[in-house]
Amino acid sequence: QVQLVESGGGLVPAGGSLRLSCAASGRAFSRHPMGWFRQAPGKEREFVASISWRGSTTYYADSVKGRFTISRDNVKNTVYLQMSSLKPEDTAVYSCAADRKLGADRPPTRSDEYDYWGQGTQVTVSS
């Protein structure tokens, strides 16, 4: 069982930056592939970024490539999402997720491949 708690959301002007954190409990955290997803009002949840358990493989949605960076610290049991050059269309609730397939080298990009979810943190980008 993995419990996830996101933090770091807030209100930021367009062009600004934020760093989201996802703190995880559970002894096997370092072996879980992890992902970030977001959901804007009236829209479906969408993939943002994912990272393998070793941090060696990362995937990004085209809409955030070059602006967002996912990383992890397996000592601190935390995954991060550094967001830069934020746009109003990045406004959403951001959630982190863990894949129960320990040690998988390919981090999933579909939400139905993840088994554990945090409650989410609101990011609002003003124009």
Side-chain angles (χ1 to χ4, degrees), residues 73-94:
D73 185 333
N74 287 342
V75 174
K76 295 182 178 179
N77 278 12
T78 303
V79 175
Y80 303 98
L81 185 68
Q82 177 67 48
M83 306 185 295
S84 303
S85 301
L86 282 161
K87 305 174 181 180
E89 52 264 43
D90 294 318
T91 295
V93 174
Y94 285 71

Side-chain angles (χ1 to χ4, degrees), residues 5-127:
V5 179
E6 302 94 337
S7 62
L11 174 65
V12 62
S17 299
L18 277 177
R19 188 177 79 157
L20 305 183
S21 299
C22 172
S25 64
R27 290 178 296 174
F29 167 79
S30 64
R31 300 270 293 168
H32 285 281
M34 300 290 294
W36 283 97
F37 290 78
R38 67 187 182 186
Q39 187 166 21
K43 294 189 176 181
E44 301 217 343
R45 178 184 285 168
E46 66 172 353
F47 168 75
V48 176
S50 62
I51 188 166
S52 61
W53 68 280
R54 285 181 287 196
S56 54
T57 301
T58 57
Y59 296 124
Y60 295 92
D62 288 343
S63 58
V64 307
K65 207 171 289 184
R67 300 188 298 122
F68 291 11
T69 302
I70 188 171
S71 62
R72 67 189 297 160
D73 185 333
N74 287 342
V75 174
K76 295 182 178 179
N77 278 12
T78 303
V79 175
Y80 303 98
L81 185 68
Q82 177 67 48
M83 306 185 295
S84 303
S85 301
L86 282 161
K87 305 174 181 180
E89 52 264 43
D90 294 318
T91 295
V93 174
Y94 285 71
S95 300
C96 66
D99 178 5
R100 74 168 56 177
K101 295 186 291 294
L102 300 180
D105 287 328
R106 175 195 167 276
T109 59
R110 289 183 3 221
S111 59
D112 61 359
E113 295 181 274
Y114 285 88
D115 305 285
Y116 307 106
W117 291 84
Q119 292 298 309
T121 185
Q122 176 71 47
V123 171
T124 302
V125 183
S126 61
S127 56

